[in-house]
Amino acid sequence: MTGSVQRIRAEAAEPYEVFHTDCPARDVVDHVTSRWGVWVLISLRSNDLRFYELRESIRGVSEKMLAQTLRALVQDGLVWREVEPTTPPQVTYGLTEFGRDIGEPLTELFDRITRRLPPRDAG
């Protein structure tokens, strides 16, 4: 007698209603596409950076706005944060797998834009 295996189909998760104001996916999109969120993801694309290195790489961002942006991206699971217990503490940031996945098309978009712009004048 041969046994049979009953396969139970897992119910698909409910899709996010991205056009609804209460949708959590909408919050993540807002954080990623915020004025500084895009630049944080692009800055972290190739290596992990400390807070001051991020601030220096993103010209024009204030410490307050960078801290707020990083806090939101960490909460969304796009960026990880590691604190070394030194005096003063050294805080390093990097992209999670989710952050790399989201950052890849942003980097592609950035690269496409810069390739299509006319050459900059050296003046």
Side-chain angles (χ1 to χ4, degrees):
M1 178 174 183
T2 61
S4 66
V5 176
Q6 181 180 5
R7 293 194 175 147
I8 300 172
R9 183 174 168 248
E11 289 188 36
E14 287 290 317
Y16 285 101
E17 296 291 332
V18 294
F19 292 105
H20 193 279
T21 56
D22 294 337
C23 180
R26 190 171 179 162
D27 289 338
V28 174
V29 170
D30 287 345
H31 296 151
V32 168
T33 60
S34 70
R35 179 172 182 185
W36 303 111
V38 170
W39 299 114
V40 167
L41 294 176
I42 289 173
S43 292
L44 292 172
R45 68 185 167 189
S46 55
N47 52 345
D48 307 336
L49 297 172
R50 292 201 173 127
F51 184 87
Y52 77 89
E53 293 172 321
L54 259 174
R55 190 183 71 226
E56 288 178 7
S57 74
I58 306 170
R59 303 212 176 159
V61 66
S62 68
E63 283 190 27
K64 178 184 175 183
M65 287 309 303
L66 181 57
Q68 287 177 357
T69 301
L70 285 165
R71 195 174 304 118
L73 295 174
V74 167
Q75 187 175 15
D76 292 339
L78 298 164
V79 172
W80 56 261
R81 176 182 191 263
E82 180 179 88
V83 180
E84 294 179 42
T86 58
T87 304
Q90 293 181 347
V91 184
T92 304
Y93 295 90
L95 294 179
T96 63
E97 184 179 334
F98 182 32
R100 283 191 300 278
D101 192 36
I102 297 301
E104 189 176 314
L106 294 175
T107 298
E108 241 179 73
L109 175 65
F110 176 77
D111 291 344
R112 285 182 185 192
I113 289 169
T114 56
R115 279 194 311 264
R116 299 288 298 219
L117 289 174
R120 291 179 50 182
D121 290 336

